[in-house]
């Protein structure tokens, strides 16, 4: 599949999405700086979240609308989303800024009105957040645009993922990527379970990546080594500045390291191979081989005093040592001579 001009999938470098989320901290200038920082760090795309507090929840004070435990303990859902949302009136400016600096930008819509709004802006792709994976009408609305669709699977069981993929395909989606995700904020590396990536690819026949909420880059790099084609990671200008997601977000230099190391993991993956690579050919001559380590006269019998397995590798292979010992030298040989088959009979 392709987002904008970038090919995504097997054989292509991992597609790195820098998730802005609410790390703009309510300042459009900071949002613009985040876009620039993502470009400078080498990310392929910046992702927004398109909702308002009123499109994602309701302003209600009952206990079920409160968050208990974790990073946002004690917050009311409405208040958290009011603080974290990216104002819709910013979107065109941010899309224009991304175009100016040369980085792809798209978003996660959280209700049908957000899809319509993003279509007006020419969004090249859509992301379904983990908590919306069970909102099949929203998935069908997104799929009907014909744009590539990326869906996170945090908190979802196998059946729910199957329903989401089926809904997307039935509504016309042809380009689908699933992101394995653990919806913990932050997620301990021990709960990332990235071995799930291969299972998802086999089960659903689509490309699979990772939405990573761990505190570092190691899990993402390991996921690329397992074949993840997309990596999504939250990022911020500085964790010290605070913000709703800053605690588990990467700073610019860390995002740059993520891009570098994910690309390195991709390049290292390669294909199964037992033939010497170009790099190995330069060192193959330093393997062990049989050498004359004591002068020997023609007709004299080789003993362990005359021949040994040593480095470098210009003589015959050490596996022939038993054939050499007890045989006779066919010519005079000096100390340091690499042994050849013609030297013994």
């Amino acid at each position: 599949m392709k987002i904008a001009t970038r090919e995504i999938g097997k054989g292509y470098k991992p597609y790195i999405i820098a998730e802005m989320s609410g790390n703009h901290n309510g300042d459009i200038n900071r949002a613009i700086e985040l876009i620039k920082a993502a470009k400078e760090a080498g990310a392929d795309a910046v992702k927004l979240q398109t909702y308002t507090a009123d499109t994602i929840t309701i302003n209600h004070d009952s206990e079920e609308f409160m968050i208990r435990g974790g990073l946002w303990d004690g917050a009311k859902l409405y208040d958290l989303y009011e603080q974290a949302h990216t104002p819709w009136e910013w979107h065109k400016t941010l899309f224009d800024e991304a175009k100016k600096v040369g980085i792809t930008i798209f978003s996660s819509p959280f209700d049908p009105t957000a899809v319509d709004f993003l279509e007006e802006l020419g969004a090249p792709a859509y992301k379904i957040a983990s908590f919306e994976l069970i909102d099949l009408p929203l998935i069908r609305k997104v799929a009907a645009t014909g744009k590539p669709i990326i869906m996170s699977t945090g908190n979802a069981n196998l059946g729910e993922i199957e329903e989401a993929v089926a809904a997307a395909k039935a509504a016309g989606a042809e380009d689908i990527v699933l992101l394995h995700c653990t919806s913990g904020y932050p997620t301990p590396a021990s709960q990332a379970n990235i071995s799930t990536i291969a299972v998802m690819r086999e089960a659903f026949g689509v490309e699979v990546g990772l939405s990573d909420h761990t505190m570092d880059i190691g899990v993402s790099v390991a996921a690329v080594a397992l074949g993840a084609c997309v990596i999504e990671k939250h990022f911020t200008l500085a964790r010290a500045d605070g913000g709703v997601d800053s605690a588990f977000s990467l700073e610019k230099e860390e995002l740059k390291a993520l891009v570098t190391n994910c690309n390195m993991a991709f390049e290292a993956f390669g294909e199964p191979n037992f033939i010497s690579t170009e790099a190995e050919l330069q060192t193959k001559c330093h393997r062990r081989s049989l050498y004359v380590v004591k002068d020997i006269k023609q007709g004299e019998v080789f003993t362990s005093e005359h021949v040994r397995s040593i480095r470098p590798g210009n003589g015959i292979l050490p596996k022939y040592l038993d054939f050499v010992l007890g045989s006779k030298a066919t010519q005079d040989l000096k100390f340091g001579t690499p042994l050849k088959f013609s030297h013994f009979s």
Side-chain angles (χ1 to χ4, degrees):
M1 61 177 278
K2 184 186 291 186
I3 294 180
T5 59
R6 176 70 152 77
E7 297 281 358
I8 300 170
K10 186 177 181 181
Y12 297 96
K13 289 183 178 181
Y15 190 77
I16 309 297
I17 302 171
E19 166 65 83
M20 183 186 298
S21 185
N23 285 330
H24 49 68
N25 294 354
D27 181 351
I28 190 172
N29 292 316
R30 183 182 175 90
I32 291 171
E33 289 304 309
L34 282 163
I35 290 171
K36 293 177 180 177
K39 172 63 177 179
E40 291 167 1
D44 294 290
V46 172
K47 194 183 75 64
L48 309 178
Q49 296 182 359
T50 305
Y51 65 86
T52 67
D54 290 300
T55 64
I56 200 170
T57 190
I58 57 174
N59 191 4
H60 202 285
D61 293 329
S62 67
E63 181 63 24
E64 61 195 289
F65 288 88
M66 302 294 292
I67 299 174
R68 299 302 180 193
L71 187 62
W72 305 295
D73 183 43
K76 187 167 73 171
L77 284 177
Y78 189 91
D79 294 341
L80 177 66
Y81 298 136
E82 183 67 27
Q83 175 189 357
H85 85 286
T86 301
W88 290 28
E89 59 268 23
W90 291 7
H91 278 54
K92 186 178 187 308
T93 298
L94 299 183
F95 270 62
D96 289 344
E97 186 64 34
K99 183 177 181 180
K100 185 191 304 181
V101 302
I103 190 170
T104 299
I105 189 168
F106 59 96
S107 187
S108 293
F110 288 79
D111 82 310
T113 66
V115 180
D116 293 335
F117 175 64
L118 291 166
E119 277 294 282
E120 292 175 4
L121 294 174
Y126 289 96
K127 162 74 188 299
I128 299 296
S130 287
F131 290 9
E132 277 60 48
L133 189 74
I134 55 174
D135 190 343
L136 301 186
L138 177 62
I139 290 174
R140 286 192 284 266
K141 173 80 172 178
V142 169
T145 68
K147 306 284 182 63
I149 180 171
I150 299 170
M151 299 192 288
S152 276
T153 61
N155 275 314
N157 61 40
L158 200 62
E160 290 167 338
I161 300 171
E162 184 176 20
E163 287 178 341
V165 171
K169 289 182 175 179
E174 296 181 356
D175 296 328
I176 300 171
V177 172
L178 293 175
L179 300 187
H180 171 60
C181 177
T182 303
S183 292
Y185 306 95
T187 295
S190 61
Q191 295 179 28
N193 295 320
I194 58 175
S195 59
T196 309
I197 289 171
V199 176
M200 288 171 59
R201 186 185 300 108
E202 178 69 22
F204 302 109
V206 299
E207 291 293 341
V208 180
L210 176 70
S211 178
D212 182 11
H213 299 130
T214 63
M215 297 290 287
D216 212 320
I217 68 173
V219 170
S220 288
V221 175
V224 172
L226 292 175
C229 67
V230 174
I231 298 293
E232 179 187 65
K233 194 80 170 173
H234 287 244
F235 84 118
T236 185
L237 295 179
R239 282 186 292 274
D241 293 344
V244 292
D245 293 340
S246 61
F248 58 92
S249 297
L250 299 181
E251 296 179 356
K252 178 181 173 181
E253 289 305 310
E254 295 166 328
L255 181 60
K256 186 176 181 179
L258 173 77
V259 173
T260 298
N261 284 276
C262 283
N263 286 340
M264 190 182 304
F266 166 77
E267 291 171 359
F269 188 76
E271 298 289 342
N273 176 44
F274 297 98
I275 300 173
S276 294
T277 65
E278 185 177 345
E280 285 181 315
L281 290 174
Q282 299 178 36
T283 63
K284 196 168 186 177
C285 62
H286 300 303
R287 298 201 303 175
R288 299 181 79 92
S289 67
L290 298 183
Y291 266 77
V292 175
V293 294
K294 180 181 178 182
D295 291 354
I296 188 169
K297 297 290 186 180
Q298 181 179 358
E300 195 174 349
V301 174
F302 279 104
T303 70
S304 57
E305 292 184 355
H306 297 104
V307 63
R308 282 174 50 204
S309 168
I310 63 170
R311 295 183 182 185
N314 297 319
I316 63 176
L317 294 174
K319 66 182 181 180
Y320 297 113
L321 179 61
D322 288 344
F323 293 97
V324 177
L325 296 179
S327 68
K328 293 182 179 180
T330 59
Q331 62 190 82
D332 293 348
L333 298 169
K334 294 290 188 182
F335 169 78
T337 301
L339 197 66
K340 308 298 182 184
F341 286 112
S342 60
H343 290 162
F344 63 95
S345 61

